[in-house]
């Protein structure tokens, strides 16, 4: 489904040029559960941003279903992002005044979507929060807030979910619960889930681990 060929990313400043990704080759199939590991500065977040069409390579090809996304305009990437991807972040990014149901409805407001409330409730049910529909963030635990964020990413029916350090703000027990839930979603919904993490315990929940160092892939193994 996803293929990167010789992808390089260089960030230029007035002082220097930073090589964030160096000739990356990577293929990802539909329904894989993948972790991208590496120390700070290894290039893992840059790689996730390129995969999620939030950034673009300096050179190389990025193919989704045999279409070269590297050649897309910003508007084309934005449309593709909305159709294919769901995003989960370490900080949840919830709006304090909105209920869980309203948080999950938000992505549908920008689409011509019918039954928004029903779809949002279904997504919250998928993550085990059907009894928390009208709770606001300050009434939810950290793990529950992250589940709301995951439900928000699922409500658009994405083919690919990108999760950037999804357990980083959680205690270890709650982090395990979130990773188990993501694994179950992969198995039941055939969603491709890509998790960026620096923790081996998180990567162990995935079926494949990719390791980056200095912008290059140094490891790619099945778990």
């Amino acid at each position: 489904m996803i293929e990167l060929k010789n992808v390089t990313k260089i960030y230029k400043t007035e002082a220097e040029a930073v090589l964030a990704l160096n000739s990356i080759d990577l293929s990802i199939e539909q329904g894989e559960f993948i972790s991208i590991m590496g120390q700070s500065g290894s290039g893992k977040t840059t790689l996730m941003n390129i995969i999620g069409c939030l950034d673009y390579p300096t050179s190389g090809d990025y193919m989704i279903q045999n279409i070269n996304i590297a050649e897309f305009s910003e508007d084309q990437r934005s449309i593709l992002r909305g159709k294919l991807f769901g995003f989960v972040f370490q900080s949840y990014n919830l709006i304090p005044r909105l209920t869980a149901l309203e948080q999950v409805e938000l992505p549908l407001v920008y689409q011509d979507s019918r039954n928004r409330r029903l779809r949002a409730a279904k997504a919250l049910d998928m993550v085990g929060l059907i009894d928390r529909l009208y709770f606001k963030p300050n009434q939810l635990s950290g793990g529950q807030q992250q589940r709301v964020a995951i439900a928000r990413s699922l409500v658009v029916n994405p083919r690919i979910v990108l999760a950037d350090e999804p357990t980083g703000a959680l205690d270890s027990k709650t982090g395990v619960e979130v990773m188990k839930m993501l694994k179950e979603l992969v198995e039941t919904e055939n969603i491709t889930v890509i998790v960026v993490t620096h923790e081996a315990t998180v990567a162990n929940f995935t079926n494949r681990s990719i390791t980056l160092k200095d912008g290059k892939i140094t490891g790619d193994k099945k778990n």
Side-chain angles (χ1 to χ4, degrees):
M1 183 181 187
I2 290 174
E3 187 168 11
L4 284 76
K5 297 180 179 179
N6 202 30
V7 165
T8 293
K9 179 65 180 181
I10 299 171
Y11 293 106
K12 293 183 179 179
T13 68
E14 292 183 2
E16 61 179 343
V18 177
L19 182 63
L21 293 178
N22 186 0
S23 302
I24 295 289
D25 291 316
L26 178 64
S27 295
I28 298 173
E29 301 294 335
Q30 181 65 38
E32 283 199 272
F33 190 16
I34 292 176
S35 56
I36 298 176
M37 297 189 66
Q39 298 300 315
S40 178
S42 62
K44 58 186 187 296
T45 298
T46 299
L47 178 57
M48 188 194 78
N49 288 342
I50 288 175
I51 291 173
C53 297
L54 295 167
D55 202 351
Y56 51 92
T58 303
S59 62
D61 295 318
Y62 173 30
M63 316 291 288
I64 297 181
Q65 297 173 331
N66 296 319
I67 299 171
N68 194 354
I69 310 305
E71 298 173 353
F72 273 30
S73 68
E74 179 56 42
D75 286 345
Q76 288 175 311
R77 286 202 305 272
S78 179
I79 291 168
L80 187 71
R81 233 177 7 247
K83 288 182 177 179
L84 280 186
F85 294 94
F87 297 90
V88 180
F89 302 99
Q90 177 178 340
S91 59
Y92 321 141
N93 292 345
L94 301 182
I95 299 171
R97 61 184 173 81
L98 298 185
T99 66
L101 189 63
E102 291 168 332
Q103 309 271 1
V104 178
E105 275 188 272
L106 273 179
L108 302 177
V109 170
Y110 304 103
Q111 301 178 2
D112 184 17
S113 273
R114 298 179 178 180
N115 302 318
R116 291 201 305 255
R117 185 144 293 198
L118 184 62
R119 286 177 61 181
K122 181 181 177 183
L124 284 162
D125 191 22
M126 288 172 66
V127 300
L129 289 179
I130 196 64
D131 59 343
R132 297 289 191 275
L133 298 183
Y134 303 105
F135 284 52
K136 294 182 178 180
N138 65 357
Q139 297 171 303
L140 299 168
S141 68
Q144 289 170 335
Q145 290 183 59
Q146 188 61 291
R147 285 171 181 259
V148 171
I150 292 169
R152 185 179 56 197
S153 77
L154 296 174
V155 76
V156 295
N157 298 320
R159 302 289 303 280
I160 305 156
V161 170
L162 297 173
D164 191 2
E165 300 282 3
T167 65
L170 304 174
D171 62 74
S172 57
K173 180 176 181 293
T174 308
V176 165
E177 292 172 359
V178 166
M179 290 306 298
K180 284 181 177 178
M181 186 191 62
L182 288 173
K183 190 176 183 70
E184 184 177 347
L185 286 171
V186 172
E187 294 169 351
T188 59
E189 305 295 329
N190 197 37
I191 297 170
T192 301
V193 176
I194 302 171
V195 176
V196 168
T197 183
H198 64 277
E199 298 181 32
T201 53
V202 171
N204 287 339
F205 282 93
T206 65
N207 303 120
R208 180 182 173 194
S209 294
I210 294 161
T211 304
L212 290 179
K213 183 177 182 181
D214 298 327
K216 295 185 74 72
I217 292 177
T218 58
D220 186 347
K221 66 173 186 176
K222 300 287 186 180
N223 292 335

